[in-house]
Amino acid sequence: MTGNDVCIVNATVRTMDTAGSVAEAFRFRDGRIVAVGSRSSVLAGAASGAEGGPRVVDAAGATVLPGLIDAHSHLEMLAYAWEVAVDCRSTRASSIEDIVAALAERAAAVRAGEWILGQGEHYQHTKLAEGRYPDRHDLDRVSTTHPVIYRASYHLNVFNSLALDLLGVDDDTPDAPGGRIERDPATGIATGRTFDMFAPLGGPQAPVAVLADAMKAVQQRYLSVGITALGDILLHSHALDALVDLATREELVLRTVAYPKLPSVVAAADVRSAALAGRFSVVDGERLALGGIKVFLDGGLTAGAAALHDDYPGQPGYRGELAYTDDQVAELVRLADDAGLQIAIHAIGDRALDQAIDAVAALPPDRRAVIRHRIEHAGNMFMTDERIKRMLDLGIVPVPQPAFLLTTAPGYAGHLGHDRIGTLMPFRTLIDAGLAIPGNSDAIGITADQHHPFPAMQAAVTRRTASGEVIDGHEAVTVAEALAMYTRWAAYSLGWEDLIGSLEVGKRADFVLLDADPLAVSPDALGEVTVRSTWVDGREVYRLRH
């Protein structure tokens, strides 16, 4: 008997292969699956195998799925939100006064000059008693000796006066392409609210060692909900350093395909010269791999910075900003494609979506669909028959966020109205058109369980928000499709479909044991399915403690 040769028996093994096969047992050796089938066939094969035979694990009737995959994650941002920042979300703060008090408590506990970060949530201004986000003056009441940041999303950060001074923001500081420093219309003085300006202003980062430890803590939370692999979007340089450090020290358990952001994490010259690829050459490529580069074409709709074809409501002449010209985006797509990398294009507004699709279409005909270029957030809204057809024809992978049905989607509708955005999260339409939608969270910590795949699957199936509202119910997916989103289709979006995403011979032994069969429970109970244990490379890395 050897520890790395194991048979899992007495299970409902939903392999998530293309045929939807269900098995009773499977065997893996040295972290790779070598047999899948009936209990008798798997054990018979084991009996005729190596001397001593495998260890047999009785799953006690549990349902087994491939390890789940979050195809658009932010390990770094969750580390800040959950392990570094002060919790200022609506579960704790119902007013700006509450936010000020929470941040002041932290400021009083740390040495002078230390940065204080507060984590809020999308559209939190609609939940605060004052009906607005805090500004610099509110945060000045937290401290005048600590630089203070309140973060509602990656796109919207508010700084106090000391923080603005330290970042060099004055009356003449220009907006970055695609970003905006809000100014008082009467005086021209910065209010402290900024939109997609954190990286251009050189916002602070935690030391690499601190961030790496925080990312390890978040990793365990992912494993506890059955996630075994990520498509990780790296937004700041220390995130890449920390991720490579964890992999080098063999402390990165989650399989990770990295998409560092250009230009805040990686320069175009480093993509062109393969210097970026060289950063990953020292680690196990089946644990941490370079998938591509991330590029932002516009800001977030949550920050009123998505690039639209028409004016924002109540803001005549304002349609958001594009970060690049059409030619520049086409050049960035060619840069990634020439390097053999995906480009993950952030495009939320309809104007940004069209720019992204046009840029991929500008590739030489013989290069289109050779590499699966991605458009992050495509499929959340603004989906027309023409855009869907163009993405399908060009081999573009749309990456909408099922979890946003629980949190952000109602705000989208309230912000622009259904007439502008069309059907919200039209997953049924996208799947029927032939597009494989990868499951993902885009979690940055705005809720405690934003990373959890099963509530997001339930939302995709039932179309119910966290408040119980049904949004565009005709776009519901089946439970089997929801599972495919977080397994096989997510692996496809990362280019790892031959490695993970289904339980088949030759693939890695990444899997989860559940307390219930997702296809047997009521759709309204899907979000309550609990992970009993999580395995990566045939090794148990999480077990539920009772």
Side-chain angles (χ1 to χ4, degrees):
M1 180 185 298
T2 59
N4 60 2
D5 190 356
V6 179
C7 287
I8 305 290
V9 301
N10 190 18
T12 299
V13 183
R14 296 202 174 276
T15 68
M16 296 308 300
D17 64 8
T18 55
S21 304
V22 181
E24 295 176 331
F26 63 103
R27 180 186 180 188
F28 50 88
R29 184 187 304 118
D30 297 328
R32 199 172 294 275
I33 297 171
V34 296
V36 182
S38 67
R39 175 190 176 105
S40 58
S41 66
V42 169
L43 290 179
S48 62
E51 182 179 350
R55 177 167 65 99
V56 177
V57 175
D58 187 336
T63 295
V64 177
L65 290 177
L68 304 176
I69 303 166
D70 186 338
H72 178 129
S73 67
H74 294 287
L75 203 57
E76 157 202 16
M77 299 302 287
L78 289 177
Y80 281 113
W82 290 343
E83 303 297 325
V84 176
V86 177
D87 184 0
C88 295
R89 295 171 298 184
S90 59
T91 50
R92 182 177 180 185
S94 60
S95 67
I96 291 174
E97 293 306 310
D98 290 342
I99 292 173
V100 169
L103 294 173
E105 183 179 352
R106 171 67 64 85
V110 299
R111 63 181 181 273
E114 188 169 320
W115 285 84
I116 307 297
L117 172 65
Q119 179 65 52
E121 63 189 64
H122 294 168
Y123 294 114
Q124 191 170 1
H125 65 297
T126 65
K127 303 175 184 178
L128 296 174
E130 296 83 356
R132 62 176 177 85
Y133 287 114
D135 60 21
R136 69 188 296 173
H137 305 297
D138 298 311
L139 299 187
D140 286 345
R141 292 191 287 120
V142 172
S143 176
T144 57
T145 59
H146 291 277
V148 180
I149 308 168
Y150 160 82
R151 172 175 290 156
S153 71
Y154 171 71
H155 305 284
L156 198 166
N157 291 273
V158 185
F159 300 92
N160 74 347
S161 296
L162 178 56
L164 290 172
D165 289 344
L166 291 174
L167 296 176
V169 177
D170 58 28
D171 295 347
D172 300 317
T173 302
D175 294 341
R180 178 167 61 94
I181 300 171
E182 183 183 82
R183 301 181 185 279
D184 186 313
T187 65
I189 296 174
T191 67
R193 301 185 188 112
T194 66
F195 304 90
D196 292 286
M197 290 293 295
F198 190 88
L201 291 176
Q205 301 186 64
V208 173
V210 172
L211 184 58
D213 285 345
M215 289 165 70
K216 275 184 65 178
V218 173
Q219 171 176 256
Q220 199 58 34
R221 292 175 72 163
Y222 261 121
L223 294 170
S224 73
V225 295
I227 296 289
T228 60
L230 304 175
D232 200 38
I233 310 295
L234 309 173
L235 300 175
H236 307 102
S237 60
H238 286 190
L240 176 57
D241 295 339
L243 198 59
V244 172
D245 180 58
L246 287 172
T248 302
R249 291 190 278 123
E250 298 185 352
E251 295 179 6
L252 183 65
V253 178
L254 294 164
R255 295 192 196 281
T256 304
V257 178
Y259 298 87
K261 181 188 172 189
L262 186 149
S264 61
V265 180
V266 60
D270 290 334
V271 178
R272 196 173 292 112
S273 69
L276 173 63
R279 294 287 307 272
F280 294 81
S281 63
V282 297
V283 299
D284 175 3
E286 291 189 353
R287 181 70 55 203
L288 174 62
L290 174 63
I293 56 174
K294 173 72 179 287
V295 175
F296 280 74
L297 300 194
D298 63 350
L301 187 58
T302 55
L308 307 177
H309 283 300
D310 298 310
D311 295 350
Y312 274 83
Q315 296 178 266
Y318 179 70
R319 301 180 178 183
E321 301 291 340
L322 288 170
Y324 302 97
T325 67
D326 294 350
D327 288 343
Q328 288 172 330
V329 180
E331 183 177 339
L332 289 169
V333 172
R334 287 195 298 272
L335 171 72
D337 198 82
D338 288 348
L341 300 173
Q342 293 174 291
I343 189 166
I345 307 174
H346 169 108
I348 289 182
D350 50 359
R351 187 155 54 113
L353 275 170
D354 289 337
Q355 187 184 56
I357 295 170
D358 288 345
V360 177
L363 285 170
D366 64 339
R367 290 300 308 168
R368 296 173 192 164
V370 174
I371 294 174
R372 296 167 198 156
H373 298 303
R374 301 169 28 143
I375 300 182
E376 314 302 308
H377 313 297
N380 284 343
M381 52 191 160
F382 299 118
M383 285 291 99
T384 62
D385 290 344
E386 180 185 1
R387 290 187 182 115
I388 292 171
K389 184 178 186 304
R390 293 190 73 199
M391 288 193 295
L392 189 64
D393 291 346
L394 293 167
I396 292 171
V397 177
V399 187
Q401 283 64 53
F404 281 14
L405 280 165
L406 294 168
T407 56
T408 311
Y412 288 159
H415 199 155
L416 295 180
H418 272 290
D419 290 344
R420 287 279 299 272
I421 63 179
T423 303
L424 270 170
M425 315 284 179
F427 301 154
R428 173 81 277 135
T429 298
L430 294 170
I431 293 170
D432 289 347
L435 290 164
I437 304 172
N440 69 96
S441 67
D442 191 18
I444 65 161
I446 62 171
T447 67
D449 62 353
Q450 191 185 9
H451 66 309
H452 198 318
F454 285 106
M457 289 185 215
Q458 177 176 317
V461 173
T462 66
R463 304 292 297 188
R464 289 189 184 277
T465 69
S467 66
E469 175 189 1
V470 175
I471 293 183
D472 294 325
H474 61 284
E475 291 291 346
V477 305
T478 67
V479 174
E481 289 166 337
L483 292 172
M485 291 166 70
Y486 283 87
T487 54
R488 191 172 67 251
W489 295 346
Y492 176 85
S493 77
L494 303 176
W496 268 4
E497 69 273 19
D498 293 332
L499 185 72
I500 56 175
S502 61
L503 298 175
E504 299 180 77
V505 172
K507 294 191 177 184
R508 302 306 304 186
D510 299 354
F511 59 94
V512 295
L513 273 66
L514 307 176
D515 72 340
D517 184 348
L519 281 103
V521 301
S522 163
D524 289 323
L526 186 56
E528 299 171 13
V529 170
T530 299
V531 173
R532 285 172 34 181
S533 64
T534 302
W535 299 60
V536 175
D537 268 339
R539 182 170 61 90
E540 188 178 52
V541 293
Y542 166 79
R543 176 179 290 187
L544 179 65
R545 304 297 179 188
H546 293 288

